[in-house]
């Protein structure tokens, strides 16, 4: 149908924001696992070390801190230190320009804050799952036997325990991805980034039934 508030086709409104929503969600998912998996492996191999405690603390701070508040802190300090225009999807000089490599890079700089802020929230849980999975595997007999045969520690770790510990990590995508999409809503509103979550919020406030139903 048509939007009551904007008098536009609902399909066209969703299509305008779907690309940004999927792009930021995919980047956040990659960031979460790229950060969490190496930290989880390190924490397992350096159990109860200073580094283990530090990354555990860092992960839980990211989990406990609201994503929009972390985004506000990043926006403030990045703008203060670099003078970079952090709000919105593009800098003012690229707003009405056709898409180019420079405009694409500018967009990446703007969504990076959203990706970091939202990604930090899901990192802690994935770190703990990866850590416990590796710890469980390194204590098994096949690892001890492989180590006794002279296999290097890094090769042993990557060839056996990490490969098996990644299996439960794959299943976490089922709850990490919805958490990313929902968690990015308030953060996207704060940063003025046109995602689907922000559109849904606007539609609910305006009681724009067709837009809200289509977004859901």
């Amino acid at each position: 149908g048509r939007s009551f508030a904007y008098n536009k086709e609902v399909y066209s409104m969703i299509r305008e924001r779907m690309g940004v929503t999927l792009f930021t969600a995919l980047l956040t998912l990659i960031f979460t696992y790229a950060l969490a998996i190496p930290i989880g492996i390190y924490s397992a191999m350096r159990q109860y070390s200073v580094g283990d405690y530090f990354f555990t603390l860092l992960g839980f701070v990211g989990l406990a801190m609201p994503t929009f508040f972390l985004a506000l802190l990043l926006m403030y300090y990045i703008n203060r230190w670099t003078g970079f225009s952090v709000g919105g999807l593009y800098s003012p000089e690229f707003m009405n320009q056709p898409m180019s490599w420079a405009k694409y890079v500018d967009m990446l700089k703007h969504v990076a804050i959203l990706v970091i802020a939202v990604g930090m929230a899901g990192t802690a849980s994935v770190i703990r799952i990866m850590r416990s999975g590796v710890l469980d595997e390194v204590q098994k007999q096949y690892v001890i036997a492989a180590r006794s045969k002279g296999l290097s520690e890094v090769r042993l770790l990557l060839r056996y325990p990490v490969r098996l510990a990644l299996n439960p990590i794959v299943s976490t995508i089922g709850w990490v991805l919805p958490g990313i999409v929902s968690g990015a809503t308030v953060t996207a509103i704060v940063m003025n980034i046109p995602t689907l979550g922000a559109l849904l919020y606007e539609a609910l406030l305006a009681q724009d039934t067709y837009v809200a139903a289509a977004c859901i």
Side-chain angles (χ1 to χ4, degrees), residues 84-139:
F84 180 69
S85 174
V86 290
L89 192 59
Y90 301 106
S91 297
E93 61 268 23
F94 290 105
M95 195 67 68
N96 297 317
Q97 298 295 322
M99 182 55 73
S100 61
W101 178 251
K103 186 174 182 178
Y104 179 74
V105 172
D106 182 71
M107 181 186 69
L108 287 178
K109 291 178 181 178
H110 280 78
V111 302
I113 299 174
L114 177 67
V115 168
I116 294 170
V118 178
M120 284 296 293
T123 301
S125 301
V126 180
I127 288 174
R128 304 308 293 177
I129 293 171
M130 189 68 194
R131 180 181 182 273
S132 62
V134 173
L135 280 174
D136 185 51
E137 291 298 324
V138 295
Q139 296 171 3

Side-chain angles (χ1 to χ4, degrees), residues 65-209:
M65 185 178 293
T67 55
F68 72 90
F69 181 68
L70 180 57
L72 284 173
L73 289 177
L74 291 172
M75 290 170 68
Y76 172 76
Y77 284 108
I78 289 174
N79 182 260
R80 183 177 179 181
W81 292 337
T82 67
F84 180 69
S85 174
V86 290
L89 192 59
Y90 301 106
S91 297
E93 61 268 23
F94 290 105
M95 195 67 68
N96 297 317
Q97 298 295 322
M99 182 55 73
S100 61
W101 178 251
K103 186 174 182 178
Y104 179 74
V105 172
D106 182 71
M107 181 186 69
L108 287 178
K109 291 178 181 178
H110 280 78
V111 302
I113 299 174
L114 177 67
V115 168
I116 294 170
V118 178
M120 284 296 293
T123 301
S125 301
V126 180
I127 288 174
R128 304 308 293 177
I129 293 171
M130 189 68 194
R131 180 181 182 273
S132 62
V134 173
L135 280 174
D136 185 51
E137 291 298 324
V138 295
Q139 296 171 3
K140 292 184 177 178
Q141 289 296 323
Y142 75 90
V143 176
I144 298 172
R147 186 180 288 116
S148 67
K149 291 179 180 179
L151 203 63
S152 67
E153 200 66 26
V154 174
R155 189 178 177 186
L156 169 65
L157 183 67
L158 296 178
R159 190 171 181 179
Y160 298 112
V162 170
R163 285 174 62 186
L164 292 171
L166 284 174
N167 290 332
I169 290 293
V170 174
S171 65
T172 62
I173 296 176
W175 54 264
V176 170
L177 186 57
I180 287 171
V181 175
S182 60
T185 299
V186 179
T187 311
I189 293 170
V190 168
M191 296 186 61
N192 195 28
I193 293 179
T195 62
L196 207 58
L199 178 63
L200 173 60
Y201 178 74
E202 294 169 7
L204 292 172
L205 287 180
Q207 298 184 12
D208 203 344
T209 308

Side-chain angles (χ1 to χ4, degrees), residues 16-54:
E16 290 171 0
R17 302 193 181 215
M18 184 61 75
V20 176
T21 304
L22 293 176
F23 181 68
T24 53
L26 181 62
L27 282 182
T28 307
L29 193 67
I30 293 171
F31 172 80
T32 299
Y33 286 99
L35 191 66
I37 291 175
I39 291 176
I41 296 171
Y42 174 85
S43 296
M45 301 311 296
R46 299 288 188 273
Q47 189 181 15
Y48 305 132
S49 65
V50 175
D52 182 23
Y53 286 125
F54 171 76

